[in-house]
């Protein structure tokens, strides 16, 4: 199975574009409308409907022990590995809202079921926004009517859905990839802060017209998210609402091999994650942290995430300072096995530290650009992993201190 | 044994003042000089000498796997639980400097031993500053001569030593406490960033004229640091150089009971830690996070530290926003056992969330002041702990992006 870190797997993909999303694959309609949940009047309610003939679905959800009502609901309905529709709202996370909040989610699913003439158990619900506030259910239900009326299989409808889930995102994020055999995978994602998916980055819906059954879809989704969404870490903030759903219509009539399917799914997921990184709150640097030579892959991920979450590393990079000593400090405080006498660090292709010794003056590493590539050599084994992160800027502090979200 | 979190234990202490430090207890001399290690010409080399009659000593050191040369040296000499002197420099951490760096530390100890006519094995070494650079040994050795000539038992000499170890600290930090029986404990500490001691916050030297043997001193120090230095977490950045040393001269002739000794040692340590919190990089809020009702004390510490390190919580508090939803998110993503339906959160005395439900509008909690008191109720058991932290401000980002340290 080809799942090399977060790099897009382009081998079996002939087309990869950000101009299409969930309505790219055959058999799907979508809509995004302004239901008035957000006071700004922006789009805030999205609907994605699978018209079949197949209805296989799978989901992965936040590992946070404080789970929002829509996560609890969607986990429950996904046990059947079958979905007809997904309804998503921004403007409120419906997290920490108790039994009443769960009833609101249930009522939302019932409303969608009524309008589409399906069962509530076939409807997944996702919410995003401020934690701790109840949703305005009257507006939300009226919005479902509006969205049902706007459902379309067009690229524009897919983009509306991708737009309606945005919170502090500055632009909608879509990706669509087509396999040469004629089936495709498309999706959208939202998220800009509270980003350390484990599992899943805030909300993402992926569709495919490949013929895949529920169990295979579940296995493919888990293999994919472990190498993509799980390897983005902006601020360690695994959210209460993180959800990634994949729905398969089977409308292409083609049943791909498992390896090909995971490869295309990974290409789309990696492209969506790359867009999350690029639109993270306050981002001025898009940072890739690769750890090689760890005892295990899990150790490599642990080291990379410890460095990714380290505020001293993140602020140094914001200041374009190749301060590798802070990286060494973060590596050493990780829970993975590290030998400081074998440690090496390279930044943007320049080895600054090797085998526990300074190799070059840090001024040799040029950090003036937006992309920063950090490679950490542990020289202990074969474990390797790449984690994506961003810098810690005044913009991040400003966005997260001046506004509630 | 009385060790209630980080709160100063005042019971057996008649005097607690910040006007005296390591030279407060009898039997100690100190000095702080400008050796030219810092380009600024500020004080950068400190010496603390125990004139006895006793020479018991103990130390706790960073848990970081990347340990600076002076940490490796001091751990080695402390095996004897006996020290005659401590030499400390700012202006360079001597970390990630390989075998050459270790030889520099060894040469520093040898120089101090020569000047004081003692053995190098009786000399601990501490360094702080930028990681990855060699120390200017000629200047450092000349500085040792200068410091030896300046040694005095005065308050001024103690303050000079506390000043010479500063890096981004804005002021020296001392504390001294006297027991009614006539013995005392004094110390200094430095540290402003890379602060999540585990064990120890950057550098701290504590002295006492009580009669305590090496093993008892070691046990008392570990009991104390576990509840004080280990419960400050500014940015998760356990440093490569963290060191806390305690030296006992026995010059008072009084051998206190273990409980009294730990209580006074804790009072001094807690006061030093409080000063670290108040002078942390960019601090605008001094935040106390108390977790009650955890399954274990370890779980309580885990939850409190996860909240303390969470950038979304820290930026919200910088913005004086009682955004308890972010606290709930951080609690939920901790590795401790949590039940969201039993969770409660109070900020500055106002319960905002209780038993998984919103209890009051968050606007009811007043965060306009500098002190923020967060109490998290898990309602699962008897485990409790308090961790001190600070907010994440523009000042923190500015200090850590614009300057190398």
């Amino acid at each position: 199975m080809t799942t090399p870190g977060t790099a897009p797997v382009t081998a079996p993909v002939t087309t990869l574009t950000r101009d299409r999303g969930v309505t790219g694959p055959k058999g799907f309609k979508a809509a995004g409308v302004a239901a008035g949940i957000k006071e700004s009047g922006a789009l805030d309610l999205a609907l994605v409907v699978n018209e079949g003939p197949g209805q296989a679905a799978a989901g992965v959800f936040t590992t946070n022990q404080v789970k929002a009502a829509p996560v609890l609901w969607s986990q429950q309905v996904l046990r059947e590995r079958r979905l007809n529709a997904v309804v998503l709202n921004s403007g409120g996370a419906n997290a920490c809202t108790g039994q009443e909040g769960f009833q609101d989610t249930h009522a939302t699913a019932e409303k969608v079921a009524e309008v589409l003439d399906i069962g509530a158990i076939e409807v997944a619900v996702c919410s995003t926004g401020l934690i701790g506030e109840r949703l305005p259910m009257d507006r939300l239900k009226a919005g479902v009517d509006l969205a049902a009326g706007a459902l379309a299989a067009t690229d524009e409808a897919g983009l509306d859905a991708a737009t309606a889930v945005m919170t502090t995102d500055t632009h909608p994020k879509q990706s669509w990839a087509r396999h040469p055999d004629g089936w495709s995978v498309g999706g959208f994602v939202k998220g800009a802060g509270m980003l350390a998916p484990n599992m899943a980055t805030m909300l993402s819906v992926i569709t495919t017209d490949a013929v895949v059954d529920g169990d295979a879809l579940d296995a493919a989704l888990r293999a994919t998210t472990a190498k993509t969404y799980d390897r983005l870490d902006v601020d360690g903030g695994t959210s209460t609402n993180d959800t990634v759903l994949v729905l398969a219509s089977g409308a292409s009539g083609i049943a791909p091999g498992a390896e090909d399917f995971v490869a295309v799914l990974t290409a789309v997921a990696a492209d969506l994650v790359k867009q999350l990184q690029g639109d993270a709150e306050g981002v001025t640097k898009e940072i890739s942290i690769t750890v090689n030579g760890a005892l295990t892959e899990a150790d490599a991920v642990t080291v990379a995430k410890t460095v990714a979450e380290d505020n001293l590393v993140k602020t140094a990079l914001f200041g374009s300072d190749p301060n590798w000593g802070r990286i060494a400090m973060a590596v050493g405080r990780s829970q993975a096995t590290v030998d400081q006498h074998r440690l090496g660090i390279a930044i943007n292709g320049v080895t600054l530290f090797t085998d526990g010794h300074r190799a070059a003056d840090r001024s040799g590493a040029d950090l003036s650009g937006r992309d920063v590539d950090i490679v950490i050599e542990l020289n202990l084994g074969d474990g390797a992993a790449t984690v994506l992160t961003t810098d810690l800027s005044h913009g991040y502090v400003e966005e997260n201190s001046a506004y509630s979200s």
Side-chain angles (χ1 to χ4, degrees), chain A residues 60-63 196-202 225-226 229-230 238 242-244:
Chain A
V60 286
F61 301 91
T62 185
T63 53
N198 190 16
M199 156 34 28
T201 298
M202 309 279 354
T225 55
Y229 296 88
D230 282 356
T238 304
D242 293 343
T243 300
V244 179

Side-chain angles (χ1 to χ4, degrees), chain A residues 127-358:
Chain A
S127 300
T128 179
L130 188 64
I131 293 170
E133 305 284 338
R134 297 277 301 279
L135 291 169
M137 288 304 293
D138 287 350
R139 293 180 190 183
L140 198 150
K141 286 181 186 173
V144 169
D145 282 321
L146 208 60
L151 281 170
T154 60
D155 289 348
E156 196 186 350
L159 182 62
D160 284 347
T163 304
V165 292
M166 288 165 48
T167 51
T168 54
D169 307 67
T170 65
H171 57 79
K173 302 169 187 73
Q174 301 189 112
S175 185
W176 178 73
R178 196 166 60 84
H179 188 277
D181 289 352
W183 55 274
S184 70
V185 174
F188 63 71
V189 69
K190 66 80 47 185
M194 211 177 273
L195 272 189
N198 190 16
M199 156 34 28
T201 298
M202 309 279 354
L203 309 183
S204 185
V205 176
I206 299 175
T207 58
T208 180
D209 50 17
V211 177
V212 191
D213 70 30
D215 289 348
L217 203 57
D218 187 70
L221 180 62
R222 285 172 201 283
T224 297
T225 55
K227 304 276 186 177
T228 51
Y229 296 88
D230 282 356
R231 299 221 173 148
L232 173 70
D233 187 347
V234 166
D235 54 14
T238 304
S239 134
T240 51
N241 291 55
D242 293 343
T243 300
V244 179
L245 301 173
V246 56
L247 291 78
S249 69
S252 69
I254 301 163
E259 196 173 320
D260 266 17
F261 184 66
V262 168
V264 177
L265 189 61
T266 298
V268 169
D271 188 45
L272 290 172
V273 166
K274 186 71 193 157
Q275 294 178 63
L276 284 173
Q277 179 191 31
D279 195 30
E281 287 171 348
V283 58
T284 79
K285 301 283 186 190
E286 298 186 35
I287 303 158
S288 161
I289 301 169
T290 298
V291 176
N292 293 323
L295 281 184
T296 62
E297 184 180 355
D299 258 17
V301 172
T302 296
V303 169
K305 287 198 173 182
T306 306
V307 175
E309 292 181 17
D310 192 277
N311 283 353
L312 290 159
V313 172
K314 293 165 94 76
T315 47
L317 294 175
F318 169 55
S320 297
D321 177 6
N323 193 330
W324 60 265
R326 294 185 182 178
I327 297 172
M329 177 276 295
V331 169
R333 74 178 177 86
S334 79
Q335 299 301 305
T337 301
V338 172
D339 178 348
Q340 66 173 313
H341 303 298
R342 298 193 188 186
L343 184 61
I345 298 170
I347 303 180
N348 281 355
V350 180
T351 298
L352 300 173
F353 187 59
T354 186
D355 293 325
H357 286 78
R358 198 172 86 151

